[in-house]
Amino acid sequence: ARVYKNPPPFPLVYSIMPGAYVTNIITNGGASVGRSEVMPNFGGQLSETQIQSVILHLYSIRQIQTPRY
């Protein structure tokens, strides 16, 4: 069965949000930016370098051209 979330999770590979926003949502979770509470925070589990690596990976597979910082 499909579960609907409110607000729905957003696939970050389609995001045009600036790097600071993406860093915040990964570090502090979805609720920190008014998005889905289903997105957990990873700030306590990943170092800043690891979070930046995740963001660089997202940007490398994203469906738009260039990241906005």
Side-chain angles (χ1 to χ4, degrees), residues 4-18 20-41:
Y4 291 94
K5 305 294 180 189
N6 188 16
F10 185 79
L12 290 176
V13 295
Y14 295 111
S15 177
I16 60 170
M17 299 308 286
Y21 177 90
V22 178
T23 299
N24 188 29
I25 200 168
I26 292 171
T27 303
N28 301 310
S32 71
V33 294
R35 300 296 304 174
S36 175
E37 294 181 11
V38 174
M39 170 66 179
N41 70 65

Side-chain angles (χ1 to χ4, degrees), residues 30-52:
S32 71
V33 294
R35 300 296 304 174
S36 175
E37 294 181 11
V38 174
M39 170 66 179
N41 70 65
F42 292 98
Q45 298 158 351
L46 300 175
S47 69
E48 288 182 37
T49 301
Q50 290 171 315
I51 290 171
Q52 290 305 310

Side-chain angles (χ1 to χ4, degrees), residues 53-64:
S53 293
V54 169
I55 293 168
L56 289 173
H57 175 69
L58 287 171
Y59 285 158
S60 76
I61 62 172
R62 72 190 314 176
Q63 303 299 313
I64 60 172

